[in-house]
Amino acid sequence: IPFNIIDTALSSLKNSQSFINSGMDIATKTALDLVESFNDEEDVNSMEEVMLQFAAMDRDLNNYIRAFEETVNQVKREKPEIIPDLEKLVEEKLTAIQSSDSDLKNNEKYMYFMDQLKEMKKQFRQVSDNDNETIEQIDEDLAVTRSQMIFICPITQMEMRRPVRNKVCGHTYEEEAIVEIIQSRKQKKKKVRCPIMGCSHDDVKRSDLVPDEALKRVIDSQNK
């Protein structure tokens, strides 16, 4: 069996995941743009449907790759004299590992999308056809809200320019500052405690950090 050809095909499939990830990143930014531009709630919700479609594509692709890899490994391990029907074996394994749509909302990028959308909606109010307030009044309310917000990094004590959020405890820091601490402590083989006083998270890892695009937009908007 020409496994090198199969490995090449699998590699191409895995590369396809980058296109799905890029699509989800674009959908997230588009949704945040819609919130910031006071678009209808229906328009914003449509982006959530797009994210779920991407999540389904990502799940299906991962399941197929897993089924294919397990099949190839099985054939390599058993070394049958007669070449088996690989397509049939893959289909059998795929059926065994397929999951329902209920797990789509556990997709990491989907959860990030919902988290950022929630944060944006806290800062930018949606204007509907039944809203009696004017855009000017909303802008004034936002100006007051933003002036009261704290955009200071707990590490540098300066306004954040590239805020990242800790997925574990929810706290936010300047990216460069927290990464520098993590790298420094790693060299000493020591853990990093969240710098927020009272936080119980005592093992902050770089993989815990995600860009806080919503907060960055609010900070940029205030500075403008």
Side-chain angles (χ1 to χ4, degrees):
I1 302 175
F3 287 112
N4 59 325
I5 297 177
I6 295 176
D7 290 338
T8 300
L10 277 174
S11 179
S12 297
L13 282 175
K14 291 177 181 179
N15 287 337
S16 298
Q17 289 179 312
S18 64
F19 295 107
I20 295 176
N21 289 333
S22 295
M24 297 182 90
D25 290 340
I26 292 172
T28 299
K29 291 181 180 179
T30 300
L32 298 184
D33 286 341
L34 290 172
V35 175
E36 191 171 359
S37 302
F38 301 104
N39 279 266
D40 290 338
E41 186 74 12
E42 184 178 349
D43 293 334
V44 178
N45 291 339
S46 69
M47 298 312 302
E48 181 181 351
E49 291 302 316
V50 171
M51 288 295 291
L52 287 172
Q53 291 174 19
F54 274 121
M57 292 169 60
D58 185 59
R59 179 204 58 197
D60 293 344
L61 180 58
N62 283 326
N63 285 347
Y64 187 77
I65 291 174
R66 176 184 167 188
F68 216 115
E69 288 179 332
E70 289 183 1
T71 299
V72 170
N73 290 334
Q74 177 183 333
V75 173
K76 286 181 177 180
R77 184 173 58 254
E78 297 177 355
K79 299 179 180 179
E81 294 182 3
I82 301 176
I83 299 176
D85 186 340
L86 291 179
E87 184 176 352
K88 183 179 179 180
L89 287 177
V90 169
E91 288 179 355
E92 290 175 353
K93 288 190 177 294
L94 186 59
T95 300
I97 65 177
Q98 278 180 332
S99 53
S100 66
D101 287 347
S102 61
D103 68 342
L104 294 180
K105 293 185 178 181
N106 292 327
N107 179 281
E108 186 173 353
K109 280 189 174 290
Y110 173 82
M111 290 191 293
Y112 173 75
F113 167 86
M114 294 302 295
D115 174 70
Q116 291 292 287
L117 199 57
K118 178 181 177 182
E119 291 302 313
M120 282 293 285
K121 286 181 177 180
K122 285 181 181 179
Q123 309 306 327
F124 295 91
R125 297 176 58 186
Q126 298 296 298
V127 181
S128 66
D129 295 336
N130 298 323
D131 199 332
N132 295 322
E133 292 184 288
T134 64
I135 295 295
E136 288 76 16
Q137 289 173 321
I138 292 173
D139 284 342
E140 289 178 2
D141 291 340
L142 283 172
V144 173
T145 301
R146 292 172 190 166
S147 66
Q148 296 173 341
M149 289 186 66
I150 299 176
F151 302 137
I152 303 301
C153 170
I155 303 170
T156 65
Q157 295 301 310
M158 298 176 64
E159 183 178 85
M160 291 180 282
R161 291 183 293 179
R162 296 181 62 180
V164 290
R165 177 178 298 181
N166 190 321
K167 294 186 293 184
V168 178
C169 63
H171 293 129
T172 308
Y173 336 97
E174 176 65 40
E175 181 179 24
E176 184 178 352
I178 188 65
V179 169
E180 184 177 340
I181 291 177
I182 292 174
Q183 292 175 338
S184 175
R185 300 288 287 180
K186 185 177 180 180
Q187 291 177 350
K188 299 177 182 178
K189 297 182 180 180
K190 294 183 178 180
K191 296 181 179 180
V192 177
R193 175 178 288 277
C194 175
I196 297 294
M197 185 174 295
C199 182
S200 60
H201 185 31
D202 61 359
D203 189 15
V204 181
K205 300 181 179 65
R206 190 159 186 175
S207 58
D208 296 336
L209 308 176
V210 293
D212 196 331
E213 177 66 23
L215 179 57
K216 184 178 185 303
R217 285 170 180 249
V218 175
I219 294 174
D220 291 344
S221 179
Q222 177 187 256
N223 291 334
K224 288 179 182 179

